[in-house]
């Protein structure tokens, strides 16, 4: 659980699996103000327009995949230091290297524990606040 603050930290979820996205939303709403989108280009636009505190993004989505979105976010000074947690079924070592090279902050292979996602999102938020 996060310490009390004046506002709820904002978390943006980008995942094209509506069941998983809704499950993440329900669990993470306890600690975050959660928004959900189902494609990378929308996640990019939302993050650039109104920067969330943490982004949870899938790798494979329509219109723009998570890796392209991460690269674009890292090039933008407004979102260059945004904590990005990639959740994906892509688990090969080559993909993991590519994900970190694209700028992800953290990586969770699917299937994952929602409590593990909550812990990582909270940790990255607290680190962001401390810096």
């Amino acid at each position: 659980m996060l310490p009390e603050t004046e506002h709820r930290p904002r978390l943006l979820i980008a995942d094209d699996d509506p069941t998983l996205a809704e499950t993440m939303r329900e669990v993470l709403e306890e600690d975050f103000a959660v928004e959900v989108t189902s494609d990378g280009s929308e996640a990019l636009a939302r993050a650039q327009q109104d920067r969330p505190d943490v982004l949870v993004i899938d790798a494979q989505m329509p219109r723009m995949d998570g890796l392209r979105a991460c690269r674009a976010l890292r090039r933008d000074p407004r979102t260059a230091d945004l904590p990005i947690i990639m959740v994906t079924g892509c688990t090969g070592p080559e993909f993991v290297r590519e994900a970190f090279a694209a700028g992800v902050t953290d990586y969770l292979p699917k299937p994952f524990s929602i409590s593990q996602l909550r812990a990582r999102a909270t940790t990255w938020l607290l680190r962001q606040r401390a810096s």
Side-chain angles (χ1 to χ4, degrees), residues 14 41 55 66 100 116 128-129:
S41 60
L55 171 63
F100 281 104
Q116 187 177 32
Q128 185 78 2
R129 286 182 178 172

Side-chain angles (χ1 to χ4, degrees), residues 106-118:
D106 206 344
Y107 175 90
L108 276 173
K110 290 180 182 177
F112 57 88
S113 156
I114 294 291
S115 62
Q116 187 177 32
L117 175 59
R118 177 191 283 136

Side-chain angles (χ1 to χ4, degrees), residues 11 39 51 127:
L11 185 134
D39 72 78
R51 186 184 190 274
R127 284 185 182 183

Side-chain angles (χ1 to χ4, degrees), residues 4 19 34 97 109 111:
E4 290 297 318
T19 303
V34 180
R97 279 192 293 277

Side-chain angles (χ1 to χ4, degrees), residues 38-83:
S38 61
D39 72 78
S41 60
E42 177 69 20
L44 175 61
R46 284 190 190 187
Q48 289 173 323
Q49 180 181 18
D50 192 18
R51 186 184 190 274
D53 295 298
V54 178
L55 171 63
V56 176
I57 193 166
D58 188 11
Q60 298 173 316
M61 291 181 291
R63 293 180 40 194
M64 177 186 283
D65 67 38
L67 294 177
R68 284 182 48 213
C70 286
R71 288 185 197 101
L73 290 165
R74 292 303 181 225
R75 287 189 302 267
D76 186 330
R78 297 169 296 180
T79 56
D81 65 344
L82 172 66

